[in-house]
Amino acid sequence: MISSLRQQPSIAISGSDVVLRKRHGTLVQPQSFLPSLVRGKSQRSLVSVQKPLHLACVGVGNFGSVKSFDSVKGFGSDDLVKCEAYEADRSEVEGAATPSEAAKKVKIGIYFATWWALNVVFNIYNKKVLNAYPYPWLTSTLSLACGSLMMLISWATRIAEAPKTDFEFWKTLFPVAVAHTIGHVAATVSMSKVAVSFTHIIKSGEPAFSVLVSRFILGETFPVPVYLSLLPIIGGCALAAVTELNFNMIGFMGAMISNLAFVFRNIFSKKGMKGNSVSGMNYYACLSILSLAILTPFAIAVEGPQMWAAGWQTALSEIGPQFIWWVAAQSIFYHLYNQVSYMSLDEISPLTFSIGNTMKRISVIVSSIIIFHTPVQPVNALGAAIAVFGTFLYSQSKQ
């Protein structure tokens, strides 16, 4: 607001360290703007303000320059004082301190782009490793071991703040870790048997498992549009499976088991995260450590060191030293993409996360088909598109 005040003998304005002096040069005691500038009946003010003002600048006389208030000369009783000010409303002050909506959208966009890019890179290197070294149980174990080691080093060197946990936290985390371990191994087994694109097409059917488990086990009900959105998901996945050129039952069942396991992981995570002060990054780090402890003995029992050693020598002889880089890359990028996804949950809503997850599957499917030259029939591509579109409808109907 622009306030034009005629100088009065008994009026002073305080704000932004600006004080007006009387004509004879003595300092007038600052007056509060609340509730008004009027001090008494005999005093006259041209402005009454109900909120405090912050003064931006002061101009005297012809408003062309700022004159000194210490000088009596040139400051007559008829001079005008121009004050450019704004009301210091509490909501406006607090709003000014918060980041803009545009900055928030940019931050979310960076999260999504990083998440998708890391996931695409992981799937590429993971498939390369599994093609040369078909031991999914060890590959899954190495992924968890690498992430756990990275976070332990980060905590030890204080790069990241270590979480404050207790026995109750780890007790609550245990069922989450069991479900996460099963889902991770099952997905890796699936990708060792079928194309990456096919695994992710089947995994796009996860919302159907989520609704069925929530409805028949937890007793939750959903609006009709949610149930209707399952039809294209189930139909698209079925069409893609039937027309898959390199269909493998173990690969198909691995993706299905992974869907079911991750649904239970999400359910247990929601219960475990209530009232929990652990950040998303540290929560996933703890989850990786506990999952590693659960998976290691089973990996040894199912495959074993002898098979690993023989397969390692074969892979090195066929691929060369770059095979070691493939293993390291898939392990590192697995942890990073999951860590970013959990960190993004601290910034975005579950609905936005669900939409982002749908778009992630599209990027993985398309990139894997291009890189690995996966043969795709038109009907197979149609089934994949229907399934992914159904997943998008599901996320929208749950809003």
Side-chain angles (χ1 to χ4, degrees):
M1 57 177 282
I2 305 297
S3 303
S4 294
L5 307 180
R6 186 176 299 276
Q7 195 264 351
Q8 301 294 330
S10 60
I11 294 177
I13 299 177
S14 64
S16 301
D17 299 327
V18 175
V19 177
L20 303 184
R21 296 178 183 272
K22 292 175 62 178
R23 182 174 183 178
H24 52 71
T26 58
L27 182 65
V28 178
Q29 295 298 322
Q31 306 297 321
S32 172
F33 276 100
L34 292 177
S36 172
L37 288 173
V38 180
R39 296 179 58 187
K41 294 181 180 179
S42 61
Q43 298 171 345
R44 188 165 53 90
S45 173
L46 302 180
V47 179
S48 176
V49 188
Q50 296 300 322
K51 294 180 181 179
L53 297 181
H54 286 271
L55 301 184
C57 63
V58 176
V60 182
N62 61 7
F63 304 136
S65 61
V66 177
K67 298 182 179 180
S68 173
F69 289 97
D70 292 329
S71 175
V72 179
K73 298 178 181 180
F75 186 69
S77 59
D78 293 332
D79 284 337
L80 293 177
V81 179
K82 179 184 179 183
C83 304
E84 295 183 356
Y86 64 91
E87 293 179 350
D89 183 75
R90 175 176 293 274
S91 62
E92 293 176 358
V93 174
E94 291 177 350
T98 58
S100 64
E101 192 68 23
K104 185 177 180 181
K105 290 181 179 179
V106 170
K107 186 177 182 180
I108 294 175
I110 293 174
Y111 268 121
F112 276 1
T114 306
W115 177 22
W116 298 341
L118 292 173
N119 190 264
V120 168
V121 174
F122 158 72
N123 278 278
I124 292 172
Y125 279 108
N126 189 49
K127 184 59 177 177
K128 285 185 174 183
V129 170
L130 291 172
N131 285 341
Y133 189 67
Y135 298 98
W137 287 80
L138 176 60
T139 304
S140 302
T141 304
L142 292 176
S143 301
L144 295 173
C146 180
S148 301
L149 180 62
M150 290 169 60
M151 289 308 301
L152 289 173
I153 294 175
S154 299
W155 292 337
T157 56
R158 300 185 182 277
I159 296 176
E161 183 179 357
K164 296 179 180 179
T165 61
D166 52 17
F167 176 76
E168 189 64 27
F169 170 81
W170 292 99
K171 180 182 176 181
T172 307
L173 187 65
F174 182 77
V176 183
V178 171
H180 179 72
T181 303
I182 294 174
H184 177 41
V185 173
T188 308
V189 169
S190 175
M191 281 190 278
S192 69
K193 299 295 183 180
V194 295
V196 175
S197 57
F198 180 71
T199 297
H200 280 273
I201 291 171
I202 302 303
K203 283 179 68 62
S204 65
E206 185 176 323
F209 286 86
S210 179
V211 171
L212 294 176
V213 169
S214 299
R215 178 67 183 89
F216 295 105
I217 296 181
L218 301 180
E220 297 181 10
T221 57
F222 299 92
V224 174
V226 173
Y227 294 108
L228 293 178
S229 68
L230 301 182
L231 297 178
I233 295 176
I234 297 173
C237 289
L239 183 61
V242 171
T243 57
E244 174 65 25
L245 296 176
N246 299 314
F247 180 82
N248 182 280
M249 182 56 69
I250 296 177
F252 175 76
M253 291 304 299
M256 297 288 281
I257 293 172
S258 177
N259 281 339
L260 186 61
F262 282 142
V263 166
F264 280 104
R265 182 195 66 178
N266 296 338
I267 292 173
F268 294 142
S269 293
K270 289 179 181 179
K271 295 180 179 180
M273 288 294 286
K274 287 183 178 179
N276 200 323
S277 60
V278 178
S279 66
M281 180 181 68
N282 284 335
Y283 185 85
Y284 179 71
C286 295
L287 179 61
S288 296
I289 294 172
L290 190 54
S291 296
L292 176 63
I294 296 171
L295 176 58
T296 301
F298 287 96
I300 295 174
V302 173
E303 293 175 347
Q306 292 184 349
M307 294 177 63
W308 295 339
W312 186 269
Q313 292 298 326
T314 303
L316 280 177
S317 61
E318 294 179 354
I319 307 299
Q322 63 178 339
F323 172 72
I324 300 175
W325 159 246
W326 291 358
V327 175
Q330 72 90 22
S331 301
I332 293 172
F333 284 107
Y334 173 79
H335 176 79
L336 291 179
Y337 101 76
N338 276 287
Q339 182 174 295
V340 171
S341 69
Y342 269 81
M343 289 171 64
S344 66
L345 282 173
D346 293 338
E347 304 290 336
I348 61 179
S349 66
L351 174 64
T352 306
F353 182 86
S354 178
I355 296 174
N357 198 42
T358 302
M359 302 305 294
K360 179 204 73 175
R361 296 219 183 278
I362 296 176
S363 62
V364 171
I365 291 171
V366 173
S367 61
S368 64
I369 290 175
I370 295 174
I371 293 174
F372 294 107
H373 305 287
T374 305
V376 179
Q377 293 181 329
V379 179
N380 186 262
L382 177 63
I386 293 174
V388 173
F389 180 67
T391 305
F392 176 77
L393 292 179
Y394 167 81
S395 64
Q396 291 295 306
S397 62
K398 287 198 70 178
Q399 186 173 7

